[in-house]
Amino acid sequence: MKKHAKVIKSFIVAGLFVLVAAIVYVSVSFDINHILPEKLVLKEKLLKDVNGIDVSHHQGNIDWKKVKKAAPDLDFVYVKCTEGETHVDSKFIKNVTGSSAQGYKVGAYHYFRMTSSAHEQFRNFKAQMDKVHLDLIPMVDVETNDKKPRKELQDSLQVLLNMLEKAYGKKPMIYGTQRSYNSYCAPEFNDYPLYIGKYSYSPPVVIGPSHYTIWQYSETGSIDGFAGGVDLCRFHPDCSLEDIVRE
């Protein structure tokens, strides 16, 4: 009986050991997937491998002079401008003027919604963009379908993109996470410049014969001038600033 109890105890101890090891493995894997991009950034000299950032009111008050000192070689800054039919980002003007004053090339993006028409969203976006000087092509952020059919979303998005191209002379860029872009847009919109979010070491993959123009590889980057995290981005090896400038 005692021998049997010892065997059971040994199995329990062995089981607990395996369980603890599994928990440690999962924890380490989770940390690596979420922290490695930022750890990599900390090792880069003056963030030399970061080509650009995107910001909104979520970053609060940004000290653009400190940003410039910490990351003088950023190629671009994209700033949230509008959302839907009426919303305007509360930090849009401040972020555009602040980043432009430091010599950065600046662009604006609109968060696309299916709760209002493409024409209404175009008017909202254009009205705000035309208040400031912008260097880069407009960008449309597509992350939600608002429970509308895929075809309906694509039709409305195409109308908005056509109006932007007519107004500003170049194809606008589309932002999406790897999941949202592939779910709602690919491959029908693959001929547009693509700004794709995927937070890991491996770059995003687009369904169909195309690739990202810009890879948003982290949402928790650390740069002086920001109180918290900021999105960090890199160009595709075959792309550069020339692909996103207005002229």
Side-chain angles (χ1 to χ4, degrees):
M1 192 74 176
K2 289 183 178 180
K3 185 176 180 180
H4 183 65
K6 287 183 178 180
V7 171
I8 293 175
K9 184 176 181 180
S10 297
F11 274 114
I12 292 174
V13 171
L16 288 173
F17 178 82
V18 171
L19 178 61
V20 170
I23 292 172
V24 170
Y25 175 80
V26 171
S27 298
V28 170
S29 298
F30 178 86
D31 286 342
I32 286 176
N33 288 336
H34 287 76
I35 293 177
L36 273 180
E38 284 70 61
K39 292 298 184 184
L40 176 64
V41 169
L42 293 176
K43 294 178 181 179
E44 294 170 346
K45 296 179 180 179
L46 294 178
L47 303 166
K48 65 181 178 64
D49 289 337
V50 181
N51 296 127
I53 59 176
D54 51 80
V55 301
S56 71
H57 69 278
H58 291 297
Q59 275 71 46
N61 292 317
I62 302 168
D63 188 330
W64 287 104
K65 289 184 179 179
K66 286 186 177 180
V67 174
K68 183 66 174 180
K69 185 176 181 180
D73 299 322
L74 290 180
D75 289 312
F76 66 86
V77 176
Y78 263 95
V79 179
K80 183 174 182 180
C81 178
T82 49
E83 179 173 340
E85 177 185 356
T86 60
H87 179 76
V88 178
D89 191 274
S90 61
K91 300 291 184 181
F92 174 63
I93 298 295
K94 187 173 183 179
N95 281 333
V96 170
T97 56
S99 54
S100 294
Q102 299 306 314
Y104 290 130
K105 299 294 185 184
V106 183
Y109 74 90
H110 171 80
Y111 193 96
F112 181 72
R113 301 299 302 268
M114 286 297 293
T115 52
S116 53
S117 75
H119 290 83
E120 291 166 337
Q121 295 187 69
F122 171 75
R123 284 192 288 269
N124 185 26
F125 192 21
K126 186 177 187 300
Q128 300 306 316
M129 284 195 291
D130 289 351
K131 292 179 180 180
V132 292
H133 172 77
L134 294 167
D135 310 286
L136 309 177
I137 56 177
M139 180 163 69
V140 179
D141 183 341
V142 184
E143 296 185 65
T144 179
N145 63 357
D146 289 309
K147 299 182 179 180
K148 300 294 185 180
R150 188 174 191 269
K151 180 65 165 60
E152 188 176 331
L153 178 147
Q154 290 189 348
D155 289 346
S156 183
L157 176 61
Q158 188 66 71
V159 171
L160 175 58
L161 296 174
N162 289 345
M163 288 190 291
L164 288 169
E165 183 173 357
K166 183 178 180 180
Y168 297 105
K170 293 186 73 172
K171 282 183 177 293
M173 186 149 54
I174 299 174
Y175 172 87
T177 63
Q178 178 178 268
R179 183 200 62 79
S180 70
Y181 180 78
N182 284 331
S183 295
Y184 307 140
C185 303
E188 290 85 351
F189 292 87
N190 284 6
D191 58 337
Y192 285 87
L194 304 178
Y195 193 123
I196 306 296
K198 184 188 178 192
Y199 311 129
S200 72
Y201 265 144
S202 59
V205 176
V206 174
I207 294 173
S210 186
H211 58 69
Y212 67 91
T213 302
I214 295 171
W215 170 21
Q216 183 192 73
Y217 69 92
S218 171
E219 61 180 346
T220 54
S222 177
I223 300 178
D224 286 347
F226 289 90
V230 60
D231 295 335
L232 304 178
C233 310
R234 295 191 181 111
F235 284 116
H236 185 277
D238 296 334
C239 300
S240 68
L241 185 63
E242 293 180 2
D243 296 295
I244 61 171
V245 293
R246 281 194 185 182
E247 298 177 358

